Each structure stands twice: as structure tokens, then as C-alpha cells.
Amino acid sequence: MADLDRVRVVLVNTTHPGNIGAAARAMKNMGLTRLYLVKPRDFPSDKARWRAASASDVIEQAVVVETLDEAIADCGLVIGTSARDRSIPWPLINPEECGRQVIGESSNHEVAIVFGREARGLKNEELQKCQFHVHIPTSHAYPSLNLAMAVQVISYEIRRAFLDDGQEAQTGEDSAAGPPDNSQESILSLGVEQRHWDQEFSTSEDLELFFEHLERALIKIDFHDPDNPRQLMTRLRRLFQRIRPDKMEMNILRGILTSIENKTGE
Ligand code: SAH
């Protein structure tokens, strides 16, 4: 069943505490309460609390962490927001699709939507930790929204998908039982039918450990030269983020890498 409590908003290196407060308010208006702050510049802050208005509880309960990896470690779906095109295209969805994807998958695992810095957005290495990117269609004359406004738009789409899913209409409660879950029908599955999947999806932490292992093994067999990396690891990251290996598949892949390492000796 769709579960808004399994959806977190992650703000990376936010500069202005007012934006944190405004983001908290935007979230609570739409029924989201779990806010993660990666190394905010100025927090806790009265300005944040003031801008949050009646969402100060979201601010009080915000989880402050040092790295993006910590904020998303246990998530089975991570979606990164982007105000502009990046050098390597990634699976890209629009806000409406994002809402449906988040609601569909919230019945299966923890979900994170990641927002970037006011001045510079998310770095490529951060965007590469995501399965999807979402872009809010804006005017080419001025494509980047204020951070909290972007949180508002995405939170609204999550709310719309949640309501379409019938949960609240039926019960009047965000987290109470609703009608049978048909949210998976609309999921952008990219080849994966999740409703009948027999295994849990890998988490962000599983994937990061796998990418480290993969890189070590590829260096060992001289396939990958860290001094001349080209886009190899980026392309491999995109491949596996797109495939979304489950935990069993991940164990097999890790086992293959270990065998390769053992065969090649010290
Ligand atoms: N100058 C930065 C813009 C940062 S705006 C850049 O070029 O990337 C701050 C954050 O708001 C972004 O990191 C993103 O999380 C969100 N945001 C702003 N505009 C957006 C848009 N059109 N689509 C999706 N997210 C957007």
C-alpha cells in the first residue's frame, strides 16, 4: 500500500535556512514529513523555523547527516532533481511521472527525492546515485526554480498520485488502509514488474558497495585505468541504475567479482 511515511525529501548543502523552512512547509501541506538535510550551512536556525510556520515539527524531526550516501543508504528508489541537461543523459521523468513512481514504489521500499544547492544544484556524482532524474518543465529564459518552490511542485505531484491511488479518499487518513493497491499498474517499470517480484530491490548502499567492488575488479584485470577513466564508471553506473538489480542478483554479481579477484591473485 502507498505510504507517504516511506518518502523522504533530501536537501543537499542548503545555503539559506529560509529555504529549509519553506521546503518543510511545502512538504507538510502535501502530507510529507520526513526531511533529511545533508550538511546544511546554517541549521538549526530560527529563520528556518519561522518560514516553516506550522510545519516546525518537520524541522524539529529533520535528520541532519554529513553525506548524501548516509541520507539515502536504505532507499530502494532515489530520484534526483535537475534544473538543466547534463552531459550524460539519464532516465528522465516529468513531475507527474515522478509522483506516480514514488507512490507506486512506496509500498515496496524507502524512497528519496534529492534536491540540490541553491547556486549549483546537484553535482554529477550525486545525480549518478539516482535511478531517475526529474525535471520540472520551465521557461528556457529562466529554468531554475527557487529550491523550496521545486520541493512544492514535486510534493504536490506526489500528493496527486497519492490521492489518485485512492488511499485518502477512502479513509480520510494519510496512512490508513485504502482500497486494493493498483498503483503498480502505472509504474514506469523500465522492464521490471515490481508487483510480483520475488526479491527485494537493492538499496542505495548495496549499489554503492557494488560500484566500489566493480571498479576494484576492473582495475585489477586492467580493463579500467583510474588515471584515464573516460566515462567508464559513469556509464556502468547508469547501466546498473537503469536495470535496478534486486538483492539476489546483486549477490550473484558480487560473487562473480570476488571470483575474478581470486583468480587474478594478488
Ligand atoms: N543553478 C542551479 C540551480 C539550482 S536550483 C543549476 O543549474 O543546477 C536549486 C535546486 O532546486 C536544484 O538543485 C533542484 O533540486 C531544484 N530545482 C530548481 N529548478 C528545477 C527544475 N526546473 N526542475 C527540477 N528541479 C529544480
Side-chain angles (χ1 to χ4, degrees):
M1 187 193 317
D3 186 354
L4 292 179
D5 291 338
R6 274 174 124 176
V7 179
R8 70 188 68 169
V9 166
V10 180
L11 306 184
V12 177
N13 289 166
T14 309
T15 307
H16 301 293
N19 279 335
I20 297 176
R25 178 176 186 165
M27 288 167 59
K28 190 168 176 186
N29 284 147
M30 299 297 144
L32 298 173
T33 53
R34 294 179 60 211
L35 178 61
Y36 281 63
L37 303 171
V38 180
K39 255 194 158 178
R41 182 191 276 184
D42 182 5
F43 190 84
S45 140
D46 285 342
K47 231 181 237 169
R49 233 167 278 126
W50 180 73
R51 281 292 294 277
S54 293
S56 55
D57 53 331
V58 173
I59 296 282
E60 304 301 339
Q61 293 157 23
V63 180
V64 180
V65 291
E66 280 292 301
T67 63
L68 175 58
D69 280 339
E70 289 170 73
I72 60 175
D74 56 336
C75 292
L77 170 67
V78 182
I79 299 180
T81 54
S82 183
R84 61 197 152 99
D85 287 344
R86 305 290 169 146
S87 49
I88 288 204
W90 219 257
L92 184 67
I93 54 180
N94 65 37
E96 186 180 355
E97 291 166 332
C98 173
R100 288 208 306 269
Q101 190 81 22
V102 166
I103 288 304
E105 294 204 29
S106 69
S107 46
N108 297 344
H109 41 237
E110 293 282 317
V111 174
I113 331 283
V114 186
F115 295 82
R117 303 155 185 80
E118 290 93 333
R120 285 182 299 124
L122 290 169
K123 298 178 185 168
N124 284 335
E125 66 192 62
E126 292 162 342
L127 285 164
Q128 288 169 16
K129 295 180 188 293
C130 304
Q131 283 81 48
F132 298 98
H133 294 168
V134 57
H135 173 71
I136 301 164
T138 35
S139 162
H140 292 299
Y142 193 6
S144 89
L145 274 75
N146 162 266
L147 170 61
M149 306 263 180
V151 172
Q152 183 72 80
V153 170
I154 297 298
S155 302
Y156 171 64
E157 291 295 347
I158 293 171
R159 175 122 212 113
R160 275 203 335 143
F162 179 71
L163 294 176
D164 280 353
D165 200 43
Q167 312 284 323
E168 198 171 49
Q170 170 111 349
T171 65
E173 284 295 325
D174 278 10
S175 55
D181 179 13
N182 58 3
S183 56
Q184 303 287 337
E185 309 292 4
S186 62
I187 216 161
L188 287 165
S189 58
L190 292 178
V192 178
E193 220 306 357
Q194 294 186 20
R195 178 188 282 208
H196 302 298
W197 210 247
D198 56 339
Q199 297 289 325
E200 272 179 55
F201 272 31
S202 300
T203 61
S204 185
E205 184 177 31
D206 298 331
L207 282 160
E208 286 308 314
L209 290 170
F210 168 68
F211 290 132
E212 280 172 28
H213 198 172
L214 179 62
E215 186 162 20
R216 275 201 310 277
L218 293 177
I219 290 171
K220 205 157 186 189
I221 60 170
D222 291 331
F223 188 83
H224 173 44
D225 176 4
D227 295 328
N228 184 21
R230 299 172 187 269
Q231 298 273 32
L232 179 67
M233 290 314 298
T234 301
R235 290 192 180 277
L236 288 173
R237 269 184 173 270
R238 185 173 66 169
L239 169 66
F240 286 102
Q241 298 285 21
R242 196 167 78 226
I243 291 177
R244 309 188 62 188
D246 65 36
K247 283 189 181 272
M248 177 73 80
E249 292 161 343
M250 193 50 90
N251 281 340
I252 295 169
L253 288 167
R254 293 291 297 271
I256 293 172
L257 292 176
T258 302
S259 289
I260 290 174
E261 287 182 315
N262 290 342
K263 278 275 178 202
T264 53
E266 285 307 300

